[in-house]
Amino acid sequence: MNKSISGLEERIGYSFTNKQLLKTALTHSSYINEAKQKDLEDNERFEFFGDAIIEFFVSEFLFERFKDFPEGDLTKTRASMVCESGLAVCARDIELGSYIFMGKGEEAQGGRERPSITSDAFEALVAAIYLDSGKEQASQFIKTYLIDALTGRELFYDAKTRLQEMIQQVSSNELHYEMIDESGPVHDRTFFAAALLNGIEIGRGSGHSKKDAQQHAAYDAILHLKAKGE
């Protein structure tokens, strides 16, 4: 069951003038299908708009912040921030999944934690804020809950690359990834991966694709190694 959307407003420090915009941003298609109410709208159009808004503001940030980066590096860095993995991390930080309206069947299959759903809802939320109050508020939200949230995290710079750099300090180290499970319907699978160092699991993660799952496993491994002081 989803939490009251007023709790999300309090969490992000923004109160909607038009509450319907927020509700639409948080409405997954599975909820519409089960409710069978034609007057309801899911968040897919908002997701489309929010994706464009996020890409613009992240591009602006990177252009100003990394003045020495060539176009290729800017593009790669932006992609790492606005990809499903990055947005899902941001969504998890504000517990966005717990506020989504979704069908009981989808919820029973772990929909509230599925990166594909939470990242889409994050994009839709950005669109709702933009539609409710314009560029300034949307920009502030993106800066606080995406740019500031990801900057400095290894996922921002590609967790797999960062992990490889960390373990290369010992030439005998061998890192590889294994897919350990997958779940969900065929059109919306969730993959689970493990990062193994010299055959021992050091991190685990999940994602909408095998690549995303490996990135999350790498990020988990980095946190594990840092906790051990390695």
Side-chain angles (χ1 to χ4, degrees):
M1 184 174 182
N2 65 299
K3 295 181 180 179
S4 169
I5 59 175
S6 62
L8 178 59
E9 290 180 301
E10 183 177 347
R11 188 172 186 86
I12 65 175
Y14 178 79
S15 181
F16 279 79
T17 299
N18 184 345
K19 305 295 184 183
Q20 185 57 45
L21 290 172
L22 176 56
K23 184 171 183 180
T24 299
L26 298 174
T27 300
H28 187 254
S29 58
S30 64
Y31 183 81
I32 304 292
N33 294 336
E34 286 192 12
K36 296 181 180 179
Q37 296 181 31
K38 295 182 180 180
D39 59 330
L40 295 178
E41 180 184 358
D42 64 37
N43 64 4
E44 292 178 1
R45 282 172 51 83
F46 279 30
E47 170 202 338
F48 163 79
F49 190 31
D51 175 61
I53 295 168
I54 289 171
E55 186 160 310
F56 172 79
F57 283 119
V58 169
S59 297
E60 182 179 59
F61 161 74
L62 295 174
F63 182 79
E64 293 296 332
R65 172 76 175 272
F66 301 105
K67 296 184 182 297
D68 296 330
F69 273 25
E71 184 272 341
D73 288 345
L74 290 171
T75 299
K76 181 178 178 181
T77 305
R78 181 182 64 192
S80 73
M81 294 181 72
V82 304
C83 70
E84 181 182 291
S85 297
L87 296 179
V89 167
C90 298
R92 187 171 64 242
D93 286 346
I94 59 175
E95 298 182 349
L96 188 57
S98 63
Y99 298 97
I100 298 174
F101 295 92
M102 66 175 58
K104 294 180 180 178
E106 187 67 59
E107 182 172 6
Q109 295 181 31
R112 295 195 184 281
E113 301 298 326
R114 188 168 295 145
S116 60
I117 292 178
T118 58
S119 61
D120 287 350
F122 189 89
E123 291 174 334
L125 178 58
V126 167
I129 294 173
Y130 184 95
L131 292 169
D132 192 57
S133 60
K135 175 181 177 180
E136 185 175 343
Q137 287 292 339
S139 174
Q140 184 58 50
F141 177 84
I142 292 169
K143 181 182 185 304
T144 301
Y145 295 104
L146 193 158
I147 294 173
D148 290 350
L150 290 182
T151 302
R153 282 179 166 171
E154 281 74 10
L155 187 62
F156 173 68
Y157 296 104
D158 181 353
K160 290 180 68 176
T161 298
R162 175 62 180 135
L163 179 60
Q164 186 66 46
E165 291 172 348
M166 290 176 67
I167 68 170
Q168 281 179 343
Q169 298 174 16
V170 179
S171 60
S172 60
N173 280 336
E174 180 181 344
L175 173 69
H176 72 280
Y177 298 87
E178 288 186 1
M179 303 310 300
I180 55 178
D181 198 7
E182 57 183 89
S183 64
V186 175
H187 68 280
D188 193 18
R189 303 294 282 172
T190 296
F191 298 90
F192 299 85
L196 292 93
L197 180 61
N198 302 324
I200 300 174
E201 182 177 318
I202 57 172
R204 182 172 293 202
S206 63
H208 192 46
S209 68
K210 293 180 180 179
K211 181 179 179 180
D212 284 333
Q214 290 176 354
Q215 284 285 1
H216 280 284
Y219 183 61
D220 186 52
I222 290 169
L223 297 180
H224 173 76
L225 293 177
K226 284 191 172 183
K228 292 176 61 178
E230 298 182 9

